[in-house]
Every structure is written in structure tokens, then in C-alpha cells.
Amino acid sequence: IINLVGELLITQSMLSGFAEGIDPDELDRLRQGLSQLARNTRELQESVMQIRMLPISFAFNRFPRIVHDLSRKLGKKVEIKLIGEGTELDKTVLEKISDPLVHLVRNALDHGLETPEQRTAAGKHETGTLELGAFHEGGNIIIEVRDDGAGLNKAKILQKARERALVPLDQDLTDEQIDNLIFMPGFS
């Protein structure tokens, strides 16, 4: 359907170009018809694109179970919060972000959130919070994975990056550069 709508848009543009060589008596009727075709094509295109949109809840709904199972396995107490579940994304985008989101959530549980004992010792509530959120910002959709854990262990990240030869041993990095190492291919 999307391909056919694309072809329809091309045909509509092509026909609009022909209007210049038509008999003036027929020109008004042709222009009205082309105007109607343009409106119908635009409405059809918008409808087809809307069909492809799905709420992000299709991706988010699997995480309460994943978090529950993994937190039990790791001996951690975790509350999951889902925010912006009605935010709509293209179906293809939803399919492509599913695995990376699982990876981020697993990392937050494995490395971000501490055990109840560690949290209590740090003066925190023994139950950690993992938040998945989606919202519109300008023309973009932002998806966030947040936890209230200990944060990134910069020394450990830098050590691992150096062990994997992703950073020269003698290179000094800022905190932001160290944080960004986790996104490098080959780090994880």
C-alpha cells in the first residue's frame, strides 16, 4: 500500500505538469480534478502512514516480566515504571528498537542497580527504580531508560576499554568521554 501511494503521488505530480498544454476551456475542469486528486492522495498517504503507527506500549509491555524475572535471578528488588506508553512509533522502528531496549534494561539491572544490602548501606531504599519513558521532543521521539542505581563505574569502564585496546594506555579522558566508551563497538 505504501508503494502504491508513492506511485500515486508521482502520477499526481506528472499530471499536474500536463495541465500547461491543455485547451483553456478544459483547463479549469482539469485543474479542479487535479486539485481533488491531490487532496485525496494526501489524505490517503496520511491514512496509510497512520496505519503503520503503533503505541510504544507494544515494546514496553514485555518489560515488567523481564524485570521481574531478572531481578529475582540477581537478588535485587526493582520497581519498574513505564511512562509515555501511548507515544506512537512506526512499526518498523518498534521492531528495530526491541532488542537494544532489552539490552539496556538488562544492563541497568545487572550493572546499574545495587543489591538491597548495598542500597541500604548507601542510604537508599532497598528497592531500586527502573524507568522506561517515551515522549515527543520537537520532531523526534525520545526513549529513555533510567535507574536510580550507583551510576557508571568510570574506573572499571576505562580499565575494560584499555584491556580491549579501545583506548591507548597513556590517553587521559574526561568523564564524558569515559561515559561514551560504553557505546563503542566491541566494548560490551
Side-chain angles (χ1 to χ4, degrees):
I1 292 175
I2 289 174
N3 291 340
L4 288 172
V5 167
E7 291 297 322
L8 185 59
L9 285 167
I10 292 168
T11 303
Q12 184 254 322
S13 293
M14 186 177 67
L15 288 173
S16 295
F18 287 138
E20 301 308 316
I22 300 294
D23 176 2
D25 295 334
E26 298 291 317
L27 190 57
D28 283 341
R29 230 177 55 197
L30 177 61
R31 282 190 176 143
Q32 288 173 356
L34 287 172
S35 177
Q36 181 65 37
L37 176 62
R39 275 193 305 276
N40 292 344
T41 303
R42 190 172 42 256
E43 288 175 18
L44 181 59
Q45 182 184 29
E46 289 170 4
S47 296
V48 166
M49 296 312 288
Q50 194 61 37
I51 289 170
R52 294 188 51 83
M53 301 300 281
L54 294 172
I56 199 163
S57 62
F58 279 90
F60 279 6
N61 285 342
R62 64 194 285 199
F63 287 105
R65 182 67 181 180
I66 290 171
V67 168
H68 177 265
D69 292 348
L70 191 55
S71 64
R72 287 186 66 210
K73 180 180 170 188
L74 296 170
K76 297 180 178 180
K77 294 183 179 181
V78 182
E79 175 190 359
I80 184 167
K81 293 182 179 180
L82 305 177
I83 298 168
E85 298 160 281
T87 303
E88 291 186 331
L89 289 171
D90 185 271
K91 179 183 173 187
T92 306
V93 174
L94 274 176
E95 291 168 357
K96 293 198 184 294
I97 66 168
S98 182
D99 288 343
L101 273 177
V102 169
H103 184 72
L104 289 170
V105 166
R106 291 179 72 85
N107 276 348
L109 292 173
D110 281 340
H111 308 296
L113 292 171
E114 312 94 333
T115 62
E117 298 78 24
Q118 291 168 326
R119 291 181 63 82
T120 303
K124 297 179 182 178
H125 191 278
E126 68 176 8
T127 302
T129 302
L130 176 68
E131 187 177 292
L132 288 175
F135 57 91
H136 291 273
E137 186 173 278
N140 299 312
I141 295 176
I142 308 296
I143 300 171
E144 291 182 332
V145 179
R146 294 176 177 234
D147 66 64
D148 66 348
L152 297 175
N153 184 333
K154 295 181 189 323
K156 191 173 179 181
I157 291 170
L158 187 56
Q159 177 188 349
K160 187 173 185 178
R162 287 186 170 144
E163 286 171 4
R164 295 178 185 243
L166 298 173
V167 175
L169 293 173
D170 60 345
Q171 184 178 357
D172 290 329
L173 299 175
T174 65
D175 283 348
E176 184 177 353
Q177 289 171 321
I178 293 172
D179 290 348
N180 286 325
L181 290 173
I182 65 172
F183 299 111
M184 288 184 73
F187 178 81
S188 176

